[in-house]
Amino acid sequence: MLNKESVLEALRKVQDPDLHKDLVTLNMIRDLIVTADGKVSLTVMLTTPACPLKAKIEGDVRAALASVPGVKQMEIKMDAEVRGRTMLSGPKQIPGVKQVILVSSGKGGVGKSTVAVNLATALAMEGSKVGLMDADIYGPNIPTMMGVRQAPEVMDDPVKGEMFLPPTAHGLKVMSMGFMVPEDQPLIWRGPMLHSVLTQFCEKVLWGELDYLVIDMPPGTGDVQLSIAQLVPVSGAILVTTPQEVSVQDVRKAYRMFEKVKVPIMGLVENMSYFICDGCTKKHGIFGSGGARVMAEKFGTQVLGEIPVVTGVREGGDAGKPVVLSTAPETKEVAQAFLALARRVAQDLAISSAKEAEAAEAAEAKAAPSELVQMTRF
């Protein structure tokens, strides 16, 4: 007999390929309705809008429903719900922000801001709610690269006082020191001033509900890196390098720095990885080749993406239109590389968040009643 129980029993055979549990156990089946005339409607709640396995999961669900006797019609809606980090201690979360992603590098000139801008834009293109924070206080390039110049609105909150409403561009919210000072004015500040600005970016900006906040970090291993590690619970850091040894040498130091401050490292992005000239299909390693892969093997991490050198990347950055938005044939490969990077990052964060939540639940289950009371207080 066709009913909810028979449908759920069939769906218990459909596993999330990343989390290795069935969709029913993971509470990914929502709004299930089974009618007497054989119609089944439901929502599959994915762990991220940028899920690269969306088509496979939908196909598996359709196949499972088709195997249930009596099902004549099916209506499947694919939706997503990003899970926030499960924090029992450490820095407090920015209100409404579920995941914080750092994009950093060991040295300047490797295209770190380009990666941050296109990653954030790609996540927004996939349907996520995204914010982009420019933490490169001395060299704030994000306003130019995102094509947004208006200053944030200032609002007066009766409890929190003066708050900033960030401007939007290409579907995401943007905050930068570049909105606050004239374009050619240098900031000659010491560490405490940097920390104060970053604190305001985290506590005085009305980010709203965000699935991901991408933070474009300054190069190196200085005050900003330490401040961010203290201010927010970072979901993962992405380190950008070029293939050449000089760049990889510096990113090794950045890797060790994030390890010391206990920031999870998601992996490496090799920017300017190769060049394909007009009328040629061969990949030319004009900055060397394989540097990121060699480092990844040595440090036990992964290469999240290899981004080619394309003129459109520079043109898009100067014009305020990230190349991932381009539909020009000559930029197709690099745009697809950034989209693949965004899906990979979202997928990895979904897996790590699920494991973190599972570990927290296990710890609570093992804790004595008195320990649970203590955990609740803190």
Side-chain angles (χ1 to χ4, degrees):
M1 182 178 179
L2 178 63
N3 52 35
K4 283 189 176 182
E5 287 70 26
S6 62
V7 170
L8 288 173
E9 185 61 33
L11 291 173
R12 285 191 179 93
K13 299 174 183 177
V14 180
Q15 284 207 336
D16 183 295
D18 289 326
L19 305 181
H20 306 296
K21 290 183 179 179
D22 69 87
L23 304 190
V24 177
T25 300
L26 291 170
N27 192 32
M28 292 172 66
I29 302 299
R30 311 279 181 89
D31 307 322
L32 175 62
I33 299 174
V34 180
T35 63
D37 59 354
K39 180 180 178 180
V40 177
S41 63
L42 57 85
T43 298
V44 179
M45 193 65 69
L46 302 172
T47 53
T48 173
C51 178
L53 300 171
K54 179 179 178 179
K56 173 177 171 45
I57 293 173
E58 182 177 357
D60 290 347
V61 168
R62 289 189 179 279
L65 293 179
S67 71
V68 180
V71 174
K72 299 177 181 178
Q73 184 181 355
M74 60 186 79
E75 187 177 285
I76 301 172
K77 178 184 176 183
M78 303 299 289
D79 204 345
E81 186 177 71
V82 175
R83 182 187 302 216
R85 292 202 62 193
T86 306
M87 300 296 296
L88 299 178
S89 62
K92 62 181 180 180
Q93 291 177 299
I94 301 174
V97 177
K98 295 178 181 177
Q99 302 280 356
V100 176
I101 307 167
L102 305 187
V103 180
S104 192
S105 66
K107 67 192 299 294
V110 299
K112 165 188 57 61
S113 295
T114 295
V115 171
V117 161
N118 282 281
L119 170 63
T121 305
L123 287 168
M125 289 171 65
E126 292 289 287
S128 302
K129 298 172 185 174
V130 185
L132 177 60
M133 181 196 296
D134 188 354
D136 194 348
I137 306 300
Y138 292 136
N141 301 129
I142 296 301
T144 298
M145 300 180 77
M146 290 298 293
V148 56
R149 288 296 185 183
Q150 70 265 32
E153 293 182 33
V154 181
M155 305 180 68
D156 191 29
D157 186 281
V159 177
K160 299 179 180 179
E162 192 177 77
M163 300 291 289
F164 297 97
L165 186 65
T168 61
H170 307 304
L172 54 150
K173 298 178 181 179
V174 184
M175 189 63 188
S176 171
M177 197 64 198
F179 298 138
M180 311 295 191
V181 296
E183 188 173 346
D184 297 328
Q185 179 178 317
L187 293 176
I188 308 171
W189 288 352
R190 293 188 184 275
M193 289 292 288
L194 296 176
H195 186 84
S196 176
V197 169
L198 293 170
T199 301
Q200 291 185 59
F201 280 7
C202 294
E203 299 179 0
K204 293 292 186 178
V205 175
L206 295 169
W207 291 106
E209 295 295 321
L210 295 182
D211 295 321
Y212 306 102
L213 176 62
V214 178
I215 302 182
D216 180 34
M217 303 289 286
T221 56
D223 290 316
V224 171
Q225 282 77 5
L226 293 174
S227 291
I228 289 294
Q230 295 167 357
L231 287 169
V232 295
V234 178
S235 303
I238 298 169
L239 298 177
V240 181
T241 183
T242 62
Q244 65 190 113
E245 177 59 23
V246 172
S247 176
V248 176
Q249 281 180 357
D250 290 330
V251 86
R252 291 190 196 110
K253 298 171 186 175
Y255 189 100
R256 293 303 188 199
M257 181 271 300
F258 281 123
E259 278 189 329
K260 288 182 181 297
V261 297
K262 300 190 185 315
V263 168
I265 300 164
M266 299 190 69
L268 309 175
V269 172
E270 187 176 87
N271 195 31
M272 309 180 203
S273 186
Y274 56 89
F275 172 72
I276 300 178
C277 61
D278 293 340
C280 172
T281 58
K282 182 181 178 181
K283 295 181 178 181
H284 302 274
I286 56 178
F287 292 105
S289 63
R293 293 197 173 277
V294 171
M295 179 183 163
E297 291 175 6
K298 180 178 179 180
F299 282 67
T301 188
Q302 60 182 338
V303 177
L304 295 165
E306 296 175 337
I307 312 299
V309 179
V310 177
T311 304
V313 174
R314 190 271 306 162
E315 293 173 342
D318 290 346
K321 184 178 179 181
V323 71
V324 73
L325 294 168
S326 174
T327 57
E330 61 270 22
T331 59
K332 181 179 179 181
E333 184 169 355
V334 69
Q336 289 300 316
F338 278 122
L339 282 168
L341 171 64
R343 292 168 187 148
R344 177 78 174 272
V345 168
Q347 181 181 32
D348 286 359
L349 287 177
I351 295 170
S352 62
S353 294
K355 289 180 178 178
E356 190 176 60
E358 191 174 317
E361 290 172 4
E364 287 184 6
K366 291 181 180 178
S370 59
E371 292 174 322
L372 286 172
V373 171
Q374 266 191 329
M375 288 167 64
T376 304
R377 288 174 181 168
F378 286 96

